[in-house]
Amino acid sequence: MASWLLRSATVVTMDDAGRVMQQADLLVRGSEIAGLWPSSETPHDVKAERVLEAEGMVVIPGLINTHTHCAMTLLRGYADDMPLMSWLQDRIWPLEMKLEEPDVYWGTMLGAAEMIRSGVTCFNDMYHHFEATARAVVDSGIRANVSGVLLGFLPDAEERLERAVGFAKEWHGQGDGRLVTMLGPHAPYTCPDHLLKKVIAGAQGAGVGIHIHVAETAQEVRDSQQQFGKTPVARLRELGLFDARPVLAAHCVHLTEEDIATLAEYKVGVAHNPGSNMKLASGVAPVPKLLAAGAVVGLGTDGAASNNNLDVLEETRLAALLHKLDSGDPTVVPARQALTMATRGGAQALGIGDQVGQIKVGMRADLALLDFRQAHLFPRHDVVSHLAYAARAGDVRTVFVNGQPLMIDRKLQSLDEERVFGEAQARVKRLLS
Ligand SMILES: [Zn+2]
């Protein structure tokens, strides 16, 4: 069994005690974290095949991107500066209808390369040709929850649901347990009640969770009130969708007090996407209120066409800043709370909080090592503050997922980046032809 000893690192555990260990040794064996000690107390008989001297490095639990459409990397910069509905209807959806499996495979590989480079070890995806997403996850070594997108207005929506359920059963746990499958009804406004009911039954039958966009724009909530006499959250609750486990609701920007209480009560995972919400002018999600109500909140980038990167460290900073500006209160969403959403909160929101999101013996070894020997990270008054406010994706040097090194010293280990660039460029050329 492969083993690694990371020596003399600063370890930000994100555990219950919130420990930051200044000089610590961390043992990775197989896929798990097998040991964690202050360096002075590491047993002398600890042996590992590889030793990584990590002096000056800060080790954090791998960052978790709780909402994206990874293959949309192919559409990065293709349509910007537009309102959500015309952006979707006039630009994005027509192009997406032309997508083929290899487009999604190489778009996902490109996104995986970008995320590994920025310390993201797990992402939650909803997209077309989800089998290709799943293959890219298995091949790249990253961890992901994958669901196929279901749109009620497509004539073959029910067939697609059947395929998604079959996929969910077949692929769950692939890639040594790195792959978790879910069902992905796009949103309440694109899925009629009868389809949502079938999704709920399908999720129960396959024993998987549900990933859905919820209350992203004010218009969506107004339309829902008009058509159904209730908010999207109330409608989903009444349909029984929140009884699935886990449920990841992306955005949740426009919520009533009752909606907030519902999301907290049903332990719905909320993916907060500050970058996407700002770019599409969707509004400001009531994150401080959600957190105060006990809701489970993680951070997401959304697709690269509405962000335009997959950098969760950037979202951490944006989340911490946005809610201060919005509330006029500089004490809301402090650094540690923002970093919690990016790690442990995200893992809980995706239903895998017992496996990842903390650095703790027995958990999967999903780790990001940041090089803190840099001008913008000196002096080290507070490592957690630096992670939320001063660190950048480029500071990430080494990344492990499930105990496997996916990047060592900025060199990707599981992906041929030049090939990924070439294939992605060729797929874009075909899409636009
Ligand atoms: Zn989205």
Side-chain angles (χ1 to χ4, degrees), residues 67-69 213 216 250-251 302-303:
H67 177 67
T68 190
H69 316 280
H213 296 90
E216 184 173 359
H251 299 301
D302 212 346

Side-chain angles (χ1 to χ4, degrees), residues 20-218:
V20 176
M21 301 168 73
Q22 293 298 345
Q23 276 264 315
D25 294 351
L26 199 161
L27 178 68
V28 174
R29 189 181 291 132
S31 64
E32 73 173 27
I33 297 169
L36 176 64
W37 308 271
S39 296
S40 57
E41 294 172 22
T42 302
H44 294 299
D45 57 352
V46 166
K47 288 218 167 27
E49 284 170 14
R50 302 278 301 269
V51 175
L52 201 154
E53 297 299 342
E55 180 102 52
M57 297 282 174
V58 170
V59 188
I60 62 170
L63 299 164
I64 296 181
N65 188 350
T66 59
H67 177 67
T68 190
H69 316 280
C70 191
M72 284 185 93
T73 48
L74 297 187
L75 308 184
R76 188 189 337 254
Y78 166 69
D80 294 317
D81 312 324
M82 295 173 74
L84 176 68
M85 285 328 292
S86 60
W87 176 78
L88 278 176
Q89 288 167 352
D90 303 334
R91 300 285 283 171
I92 300 298
W93 284 343
L95 203 68
E96 285 185 337
M97 291 301 122
K98 292 168 70 180
L99 284 171
E100 295 175 353
E101 285 223 355
D103 302 326
V104 172
Y105 180 83
W106 289 108
T108 306
M109 290 298 254
L110 180 60
E114 181 186 351
M115 285 192 274
I116 294 165
R117 283 200 169 283
S118 55
V120 176
T121 53
C122 176
F123 67 101
N124 182 37
D125 202 80
M126 175 202 290
Y127 213 48
H128 305 278
H129 301 298
F130 35 89
E131 295 93 342
T133 309
R135 278 205 313 279
V137 168
V138 171
D139 292 351
S140 66
I142 202 165
R143 185 184 302 280
N145 286 21
V146 175
S147 49
V149 67
L150 300 164
L151 292 157
F153 57 77
L154 294 179
D156 60 347
E158 306 232 342
E159 278 163 53
R160 282 170 186 252
L161 173 59
E162 270 174 44
R163 215 178 92 207
V165 171
F167 161 81
K169 288 180 184 162
E170 192 186 327
W171 283 82
H172 196 73
Q174 297 280 324
D176 299 322
R178 285 182 286 111
L179 193 84
V180 170
T181 55
M182 295 170 90
L183 296 183
H186 172 260
Y189 67 93
T190 50
C191 295
D193 282 0
H194 68 86
L195 183 65
L196 287 171
K197 281 183 188 158
K198 285 187 178 166
V199 169
I200 295 163
Q204 275 160 355
V208 299
I210 294 174
H211 178 192
I212 184 167
H213 296 90
V214 178
E216 184 173 359
T217 64

Side-chain angles (χ1 to χ4, degrees), residues 328-349:
D329 178 357
T331 68
V332 300
V333 191
R336 178 168 282 278
Q337 199 166 48
L339 191 64
T340 299
M341 288 193 280
T343 53
R344 190 175 174 169
Q348 284 166 342

Side-chain angles (χ1 to χ4, degrees), residues 189-253:
Y189 67 93
T190 50
C191 295
D193 282 0
H194 68 86
L195 183 65
L196 287 171
K197 281 183 188 158
K198 285 187 178 166
V199 169
I200 295 163
Q204 275 160 355
V208 299
I210 294 174
H211 178 192
I212 184 167
H213 296 90
V214 178
E216 184 173 359
T217 64
Q219 187 65 41
E220 173 190 343
V221 177
R222 277 198 296 272
D223 290 348
S224 177
Q225 288 285 13
Q226 208 164 41
Q227 196 181 345
F228 303 99
K230 51 193 111 164
T231 65
V233 169
R235 183 174 152 228
L236 294 177
R237 185 195 64 215
E238 284 171 32
L239 285 167
L241 190 132
F242 295 149
D243 297 322
R245 285 287 178 278
V247 175
L248 191 288
H251 299 301
C252 298
V253 174

